[in-house]
Amino acid sequence: MKSASWIAATRRARRVDTSVRLGPLTLKSPIIAASGTFGQGAEVMGITDASKIGAVTVKSLSAEPWAGNPPVRVHPVTAGMLNAVGLQNPGVSAWVSQALPRIPDDVTVIASLWGRTVDQYAKAARLLLAAVPRIAAVEVNVSCPNLEEANEMFAHSATATHAVISAVATELEGSGLPIFAKLSPNTWEVPSIAQAACNAGATGLTLVNTVMGLEIDIESGTAALGRGAGGLSGPAIKPIAARIVAEVHRTLPDVPIIGTGGVASGLDAVEMMMAGASAVGVGTASFVDPGATVRISREVARWCGAHGVSRVSSLTGTYKAPS
Ligand SMILES: Cc1cc2nc3c(=O)[nH]c(=O)nc-3n(C[C@H](O)[C@H](O)[C@H](O)COP(=O)(O)O)c2cc1C
Protein backbone atom coordinates (compact mmCIF):
# COMPACT_ATOMS: atom_id res chain seq x y z
CA MET A 1 0.00 0.00 0.00
CA LYS A 2 1.20 3.53 -0.82
CA SER A 3 1.86 5.85 2.14
CA ALA A 4 -0.19 9.03 2.70
CA SER A 5 2.90 11.19 1.99
CA TRP A 6 3.56 9.33 -1.29
CA ILE A 7 -0.07 9.92 -2.37
CA ALA A 8 0.14 13.62 -1.40
CA ALA A 9 3.43 14.04 -3.35
CA THR A 10 1.88 12.34 -6.38
CA ARG A 11 -1.16 14.67 -6.23
CA ARG A 12 1.13 17.74 -6.01
CA ALA A 13 3.20 16.44 -8.98
CA ARG A 14 0.02 15.96 -11.06
CA ARG A 15 -0.91 19.62 -10.58
CA VAL A 16 2.45 20.79 -12.03
CA ASP A 17 2.35 22.13 -15.59
CA THR A 18 5.17 20.13 -17.21
CA SER A 19 4.88 21.67 -20.68
CA VAL A 20 7.81 23.64 -22.09
CA ARG A 21 8.23 25.83 -25.16
CA LEU A 22 11.15 25.78 -27.54
CA GLY A 23 10.34 28.68 -29.86
CA PRO A 24 7.30 27.55 -31.86
CA LEU A 25 7.47 24.00 -30.47
CA THR A 26 5.52 23.05 -27.33
CA LEU A 27 6.42 19.76 -25.60
CA LYS A 28 4.37 18.03 -22.89
CA SER A 29 7.52 17.37 -20.83
CA PRO A 30 11.03 18.89 -20.88
CA ILE A 31 12.62 15.44 -21.25
CA ILE A 32 13.87 14.47 -24.71
CA ALA A 33 15.59 11.19 -25.65
CA ALA A 34 19.01 12.27 -26.99
CA SER A 35 20.11 11.36 -30.51
CA GLY A 36 21.88 8.02 -30.91
CA THR A 37 20.61 6.59 -27.64
CA PHE A 38 17.05 5.70 -28.71
CA GLY A 39 17.91 3.98 -32.00
CA GLN A 40 16.00 5.07 -35.09
CA GLY A 41 12.99 5.59 -32.82
CA ALA A 42 10.87 2.56 -33.67
CA GLU A 43 12.89 -0.23 -32.00
CA VAL A 44 12.58 1.14 -28.44
CA MET A 45 8.82 1.66 -28.53
CA GLY A 46 8.07 -1.71 -26.93
CA ILE A 47 10.54 -1.02 -24.11
CA THR A 48 9.31 2.35 -22.82
CA ASP A 49 6.29 4.60 -23.41
CA ALA A 50 7.84 7.48 -25.31
CA SER A 51 4.46 9.23 -25.57
CA LYS A 52 5.01 10.24 -21.93
CA ILE A 53 8.14 12.30 -22.64
CA GLY A 54 8.67 15.55 -24.54
CA ALA A 55 10.19 14.06 -27.70
CA VAL A 56 12.44 11.40 -29.18
CA THR A 57 15.41 12.57 -31.20
CA VAL A 58 16.42 9.79 -33.57
CA LYS A 59 19.99 8.76 -34.41
CA SER A 60 21.57 11.20 -36.85
CA LEU A 61 20.63 10.53 -40.47
CA SER A 62 22.67 11.26 -43.58
CA ALA A 63 21.52 11.64 -47.18
CA GLU A 64 22.98 8.20 -48.03
CA PRO A 65 23.18 5.06 -45.83
CA TRP A 66 26.35 4.94 -43.68
CA ALA A 67 27.94 1.82 -42.14
CA GLY A 68 29.64 3.46 -39.16
CA ASN A 69 32.90 2.43 -37.49
CA PRO A 70 34.51 -0.99 -36.94
CA PRO A 71 34.17 -2.53 -33.44
CA VAL A 72 34.81 -1.97 -30.55
CA ARG A 73 32.22 0.83 -30.70
CA VAL A 74 31.22 1.34 -27.07
CA HIS A 75 33.20 0.95 -23.88
CA PRO A 76 32.18 1.60 -20.24
CA VAL A 77 34.43 3.96 -18.27
CA THR A 78 34.29 5.49 -14.79
CA ALA A 79 31.05 7.52 -14.52
CA GLY A 80 30.10 7.14 -18.16
CA MET A 81 30.92 5.51 -21.47
CA LEU A 82 33.05 6.06 -24.54
CA ASN A 83 31.59 5.53 -28.00
CA ALA A 84 32.75 5.62 -31.56
CA VAL A 85 29.65 4.24 -33.28
CA GLY A 86 30.39 6.45 -36.25
CA LEU A 87 26.89 7.72 -37.12
CA GLN A 88 25.70 4.42 -38.65
CA ASN A 89 22.27 4.95 -40.23
CA PRO A 90 20.07 3.73 -43.11
CA GLY A 91 19.87 7.11 -44.86
CA VAL A 92 17.06 9.68 -44.61
CA SER A 93 14.75 8.14 -47.22
CA ALA A 94 14.86 4.59 -45.78
CA TRP A 95 14.21 6.02 -42.30
CA VAL A 96 11.25 8.06 -43.54
CA SER A 97 9.67 5.13 -45.37
CA GLN A 98 10.51 2.25 -42.98
CA ALA A 99 11.22 3.43 -39.39
CA LEU A 100 9.12 6.57 -39.03
CA PRO A 101 5.75 4.87 -39.77
CA ARG A 102 6.47 2.40 -36.93
CA ILE A 103 6.69 5.19 -34.34
CA PRO A 104 3.25 5.72 -32.73
CA ASP A 105 1.51 8.98 -33.66
CA ASP A 106 1.46 10.23 -30.07
CA VAL A 107 5.28 10.26 -29.91
CA THR A 108 6.86 13.61 -30.81
CA VAL A 109 9.76 13.00 -33.18
CA ILE A 110 12.81 15.16 -33.81
CA ALA A 111 14.91 14.07 -36.80
CA SER A 112 18.68 14.55 -36.54
CA LEU A 113 20.80 15.20 -39.63
CA TRP A 114 24.49 14.95 -40.39
CA GLY A 115 26.80 15.20 -43.37
CA ARG A 116 30.46 15.53 -44.32
CA THR A 117 30.03 18.48 -46.66
CA VAL A 118 27.61 21.40 -46.64
CA ASP A 119 25.94 19.92 -49.74
CA GLN A 120 25.41 16.57 -47.98
CA TYR A 121 23.61 18.38 -45.12
CA ALA A 122 21.48 20.26 -47.65
CA LYS A 123 20.58 17.03 -49.46
CA ALA A 124 19.66 15.28 -46.19
CA ALA A 125 17.38 18.22 -45.28
CA ARG A 126 15.76 18.15 -48.75
CA LEU A 127 15.02 14.40 -48.42
CA LEU A 128 13.59 14.95 -44.95
CA LEU A 129 10.83 17.14 -46.35
CA ALA A 130 9.05 13.84 -47.14
CA ALA A 131 8.55 13.44 -43.35
CA VAL A 132 6.66 16.73 -42.93
CA PRO A 133 4.32 17.16 -41.03
CA ARG A 134 4.99 13.95 -39.03
CA ILE A 135 8.24 15.26 -37.55
CA ALA A 136 8.16 18.17 -35.09
CA ALA A 137 11.67 19.57 -35.54
CA VAL A 138 15.10 18.98 -37.02
CA GLU A 139 18.33 18.77 -35.07
CA VAL A 140 21.49 19.41 -37.07
CA ASN A 141 24.45 17.50 -35.67
CA VAL A 142 27.41 19.65 -36.66
CA SER A 143 29.85 17.58 -34.58
CA CYS A 144 31.05 15.90 -37.78
CA PRO A 145 34.30 16.08 -39.74
CA ASN A 146 34.21 18.54 -42.64
CA LEU A 147 35.69 16.76 -45.68
CA GLU A 148 36.32 20.11 -47.38
CA GLU A 149 38.33 21.52 -44.42
CA ALA A 150 40.87 18.78 -43.59
CA ASN A 151 38.27 16.92 -41.48
CA GLU A 152 38.03 19.75 -38.93
CA MET A 153 34.67 19.48 -37.13
CA PHE A 154 32.00 21.84 -38.47
CA ALA A 155 31.03 22.55 -34.85
CA HIS A 156 34.53 23.88 -34.09
CA SER A 157 34.18 26.71 -36.59
CA ALA A 158 31.63 29.53 -36.52
CA THR A 159 31.96 29.93 -40.30
CA ALA A 160 31.39 26.23 -41.07
CA THR A 161 28.50 25.99 -38.58
CA HIS A 162 26.92 29.06 -40.17
CA ALA A 163 27.28 27.51 -43.65
CA VAL A 164 25.62 24.22 -42.62
CA ILE A 165 22.72 25.77 -40.71
CA SER A 166 22.07 28.28 -43.43
CA ALA A 167 22.03 25.51 -46.10
CA VAL A 168 19.61 23.42 -44.03
CA ALA A 169 17.40 26.46 -43.26
CA THR A 170 17.21 27.26 -46.97
CA GLU A 171 16.08 23.70 -47.80
CA LEU A 172 13.51 23.66 -44.98
CA GLU A 173 12.15 27.15 -45.67
CA GLY A 174 8.35 27.14 -45.64
CA SER A 175 8.19 23.73 -43.88
CA GLY A 176 7.60 25.35 -40.47
CA LEU A 177 10.17 22.99 -38.91
CA PRO A 178 12.20 24.50 -36.06
CA ILE A 179 15.94 23.86 -36.39
CA PHE A 180 18.21 23.01 -33.44
CA ALA A 181 21.98 23.17 -33.94
CA LYS A 182 23.71 20.48 -31.90
CA LEU A 183 27.10 21.75 -30.85
CA SER A 184 30.32 20.20 -29.63
CA PRO A 185 31.76 20.85 -26.15
CA ASN A 186 35.29 20.30 -27.49
CA THR A 187 36.06 24.00 -28.12
CA TRP A 188 36.24 27.18 -26.03
CA GLU A 189 34.28 29.03 -28.71
CA VAL A 190 30.80 27.57 -28.05
CA PRO A 191 29.06 30.95 -27.38
CA SER A 192 30.29 32.50 -30.65
CA ILE A 193 29.55 29.30 -32.62
CA ALA A 194 26.06 29.27 -31.05
CA GLN A 195 25.58 32.89 -32.16
CA ALA A 196 26.66 31.95 -35.71
CA ALA A 197 24.14 29.08 -35.76
CA CYS A 198 21.32 31.41 -34.69
CA ASN A 199 22.35 34.06 -37.22
CA ALA A 200 22.10 31.37 -39.90
CA GLY A 201 18.54 30.44 -38.97
CA ALA A 202 18.70 28.03 -36.01
CA THR A 203 15.63 28.31 -33.78
CA GLY A 204 17.52 26.82 -30.85
CA LEU A 205 20.56 24.87 -29.73
CA THR A 206 21.26 21.39 -28.36
CA LEU A 207 24.17 21.57 -25.93
CA VAL A 208 26.18 19.33 -25.91
CA ASN A 209 27.47 16.38 -27.88
CA THR A 210 30.07 14.02 -26.38
CA VAL A 211 33.45 15.11 -24.96
CA MET A 212 36.44 13.60 -26.78
CA GLY A 213 38.23 10.98 -24.69
CA LEU A 214 40.56 7.99 -24.83
CA GLU A 215 40.99 4.87 -22.73
CA ILE A 216 43.98 2.58 -23.15
CA ASP A 217 44.15 -1.10 -22.21
CA ILE A 218 47.53 -1.10 -20.45
CA GLU A 219 48.14 -4.85 -21.01
CA SER A 220 47.92 -4.64 -24.79
CA GLY A 221 48.84 -0.94 -25.02
CA THR A 222 45.95 -0.44 -27.46
CA ALA A 223 42.85 1.71 -27.26
CA ALA A 224 39.66 0.31 -25.75
CA LEU A 225 37.70 1.53 -28.81
CA GLY A 226 38.38 0.31 -32.34
CA ARG A 227 38.86 3.90 -33.56
CA GLY A 228 41.17 4.95 -30.73
CA ALA A 229 39.58 8.07 -29.26
CA GLY A 230 35.82 8.43 -28.93
CA GLY A 231 33.05 10.45 -27.32
CA LEU A 232 32.66 10.46 -23.55
CA SER A 233 29.08 10.67 -22.25
CA GLY A 234 27.18 10.03 -19.02
CA PRO A 235 27.48 11.48 -15.49
CA ALA A 236 31.17 12.42 -15.98
CA ILE A 237 30.23 15.19 -18.43
CA LYS A 238 27.26 16.76 -16.59
CA PRO A 239 29.30 19.65 -15.08
CA ILE A 240 30.80 20.39 -18.52
CA ALA A 241 27.35 20.46 -20.14
CA ALA A 242 25.87 22.60 -17.34
CA ARG A 243 28.73 25.09 -17.61
CA ILE A 244 28.30 25.43 -21.38
CA VAL A 245 24.49 25.72 -21.11
CA ALA A 246 24.90 28.50 -18.49
CA GLU A 247 27.50 30.35 -20.60
CA VAL A 248 25.41 30.23 -23.76
CA HIS A 249 22.16 31.11 -21.94
CA ARG A 250 23.91 34.17 -20.49
CA THR A 251 25.02 35.25 -23.98
CA LEU A 252 21.78 34.32 -25.80
CA PRO A 253 19.01 34.42 -23.16
CA ASP A 254 16.14 34.26 -25.66
CA VAL A 255 17.41 31.18 -27.53
CA PRO A 256 15.84 27.85 -26.42
CA ILE A 257 18.45 25.29 -25.35
CA ILE A 258 18.08 21.52 -25.07
CA GLY A 259 20.61 20.90 -22.28
CA THR A 260 22.21 17.48 -22.76
CA GLY A 261 25.03 15.67 -20.99
CA GLY A 262 25.10 13.32 -18.02
CA VAL A 263 21.49 13.73 -16.93
CA ALA A 264 20.43 10.58 -15.07
CA SER A 265 17.78 11.81 -12.61
CA GLY A 266 15.07 14.40 -12.16
CA LEU A 267 17.45 16.38 -9.93
CA ASP A 268 20.03 16.49 -12.75
CA ALA A 269 17.32 17.70 -15.16
CA VAL A 270 16.22 20.45 -12.75
CA GLU A 271 19.86 21.54 -12.48
CA MET A 272 20.24 21.64 -16.29
CA MET A 273 17.11 23.81 -16.56
CA MET A 274 18.37 26.15 -13.82
CA ALA A 275 21.58 26.51 -15.86
CA GLY A 276 19.47 27.83 -18.75
CA ALA A 277 17.98 24.87 -20.61
CA SER A 278 14.34 24.98 -21.77
CA ALA A 279 14.34 21.19 -22.27
CA VAL A 280 16.73 18.39 -21.30
CA GLY A 281 18.27 15.61 -23.40
CA VAL A 282 18.80 12.22 -21.78
CA GLY A 283 21.23 9.85 -23.51
CA THR A 284 23.52 7.40 -21.73
CA ALA A 285 21.08 7.00 -18.81
CA SER A 286 18.79 5.06 -21.19
CA PHE A 287 21.50 2.39 -21.63
CA VAL A 288 21.54 1.84 -17.85
CA ASP A 289 17.74 2.01 -17.50
CA PRO A 290 15.65 1.89 -20.71
CA GLY A 291 12.81 3.62 -18.80
CA ALA A 292 15.09 6.49 -17.70
CA THR A 293 13.46 9.21 -19.83
CA VAL A 294 9.94 8.48 -18.48
CA ARG A 295 11.26 8.16 -14.91
CA ILE A 296 13.21 11.42 -15.12
CA SER A 297 10.16 13.21 -16.53
CA ARG A 298 8.13 12.01 -13.54
CA GLU A 299 10.91 12.96 -11.10
CA VAL A 300 11.04 16.52 -12.44
CA ALA A 301 7.28 16.95 -11.84
CA ARG A 302 7.65 15.48 -8.36
CA TRP A 303 10.54 17.82 -7.48
CA CYS A 304 8.53 20.80 -8.70
CA GLY A 305 5.45 19.68 -6.74
CA ALA A 306 7.54 19.34 -3.56
CA HIS A 307 9.16 22.76 -4.07
CA GLY A 308 5.98 24.74 -4.88
CA VAL A 309 6.98 25.21 -8.54
CA SER A 310 3.73 25.20 -10.53
CA ARG A 311 5.31 25.39 -14.02
CA VAL A 312 8.43 23.38 -14.91
CA SER A 313 9.28 25.98 -17.56
CA SER A 314 9.79 28.61 -14.84
CA LEU A 315 13.01 26.80 -13.79
CA THR A 316 14.88 27.87 -16.92
CA GLY A 317 17.81 30.17 -16.15
CA THR A 318 17.09 30.51 -12.42
CA TYR A 319 20.72 29.71 -11.57
CA LYS A 320 22.16 32.59 -9.53
CA ALA A 321 25.66 33.01 -10.94
CA PRO A 322 28.14 34.86 -8.74
CA SER A 323 28.43 38.48 -9.92
C1 LIG B 1 26.15 5.47 -28.28
C2 LIG B 1 25.91 6.92 -28.56
C3 LIG B 1 25.54 7.33 -29.84
C4 LIG B 1 25.32 8.67 -30.11
N1 LIG B 1 24.95 9.04 -31.38
C5 LIG B 1 24.68 10.35 -31.63
C6 LIG B 1 24.20 10.75 -32.91
O1 LIG B 1 23.97 9.93 -33.81
N2 LIG B 1 23.97 12.07 -33.12
C7 LIG B 1 24.16 13.02 -32.13
O2 LIG B 1 23.92 14.22 -32.39
N3 LIG B 1 24.59 12.66 -30.90
C8 LIG B 1 24.83 11.36 -30.63
N4 LIG B 1 25.23 10.99 -29.37
C9 LIG B 1 25.42 12.02 -28.33
C10 LIG B 1 24.19 12.12 -27.41
O3 LIG B 1 23.04 12.50 -28.13
C11 LIG B 1 24.43 13.14 -26.27
O4 LIG B 1 24.64 14.41 -26.82
C12 LIG B 1 25.65 12.77 -25.43
O5 LIG B 1 25.75 11.37 -25.25
C13 LIG B 1 25.61 13.45 -24.06
O6 LIG B 1 24.44 13.08 -23.35
P1 LIG B 1 24.41 11.87 -22.25
O7 LIG B 1 25.57 12.11 -21.32
O8 LIG B 1 23.08 12.00 -21.61
O9 LIG B 1 24.58 10.62 -23.02
C14 LIG B 1 25.46 9.64 -29.07
C15 LIG B 1 25.81 9.23 -27.78
C16 LIG B 1 26.02 7.89 -27.51
C17 LIG B 1 26.39 7.49 -26.10
Side-chain angles (χ1 to χ4, degrees):
M1 208 170 84
K2 311 278 188 204
S3 70
S5 64
W6 187 92
I7 293 168
T10 303
R11 280 210 187 110
R12 280 196 301 273
R14 283 209 186 110
R15 282 198 291 270
V16 172
D17 176 0
T18 58
S19 67
V20 294
R21 288 197 59 177
L22 300 163
L25 184 64
T26 301
L27 304 179
K28 67 183 84 150
S29 153
I31 304 304
I32 299 176
S35 180
T37 63
F38 237 64
Q40 300 300 339
E43 59 272 54
V44 282
M45 292 303 146
I47 302 173
T48 190
D49 184 358
S51 71
K52 293 209 165 85
I53 61 172
V56 169
T57 309
V58 300
K59 181 149 181 77
S60 298
L61 299 158
S62 46
E64 312 296 337
W66 189 255
N69 286 331
V72 175
R73 290 173 160 198
V74 293
H75 178 74
V77 293
T78 309
M81 66 187 272
L82 281 170
N83 94 82
V85 173
L87 298 171
Q88 177 186 355
N89 79 98
V92 174
S93 298
W95 177 77
V96 172
S97 63
Q98 289 159 35
L100 184 59
R102 291 170 42 223
I103 303 177
D105 289 344
D106 54 0
V107 175
T108 301
V109 179
I110 300 176
S112 169
L113 297 181
W114 73 278
R116 293 183 305 151
T117 63
V118 173
D119 282 350
Q120 286 181 7
Y121 277 97
K123 185 173 178 200
R126 199 154 57 242
L127 294 170
L128 197 60
L129 287 171
V132 179
R134 174 64 186 90
I135 56 171
V138 173
E139 188 170 272
V140 185
N141 176 10
V142 278
S143 304
C144 303
N146 181 352
L147 274 191
E148 291 156 335
E149 292 290 341
N151 280 342
E152 189 200 349
M153 267 201 197
F154 289 97
H156 293 172
S157 151
T159 313
T161 296
H162 187 284
V164 168
I165 300 297
S166 141
V168 170
T170 303
E171 295 296 335
L172 298 181
E173 207 175 343
S175 69
L177 286 172
I179 298 171
F180 292 87
K182 178 148 183 196
L183 303 186
S184 160
N186 304 301
T187 163
W188 292 113
E189 311 298 330
V190 182
S192 55
I193 293 163
Q195 178 72 71
C198 295
N199 291 347
T203 319
L205 304 160
T206 303
L207 305 172
V208 289
N209 216 311
T210 51
V211 178
M212 287 311 291
L214 169 70
E215 183 153 295
I216 300 166
D217 171 354
I218 59 168
E219 296 305 325
S220 65
T222 59
L225 290 176
R227 276 295 297 258
L232 177 65
S233 61
I237 73 165
K238 191 185 64 155
I240 298 171
R243 190 256 307 162
I244 292 174
V245 168
E247 269 176 19
V248 174
H249 180 66
R250 198 164 48 237
T251 321
L252 302 166
D254 299 326
V255 174
I257 296 172
I258 304 172
T260 307
V263 172
S265 70
L267 304 187
D268 296 339
V270 168
E271 182 185 354
M272 199 61 89
M273 293 189 75
M274 285 182 170
S278 296
V280 178
V282 173
T284 300
S286 290
F287 291 104
V288 181
D289 165 15
T293 49
V294 175
R295 171 180 53 79
I296 294 170
S297 190
R298 212 173 38 233
E299 288 171 354
V300 170
R302 223 173 163 79
W303 187 92
C304 287
H307 288 76
V309 176
S310 57
R311 286 181 307 114
V312 169
S313 60
S314 68
L315 293 171
T316 298
T318 50
Y319 159 57
K320 301 177 195 78
S323 45

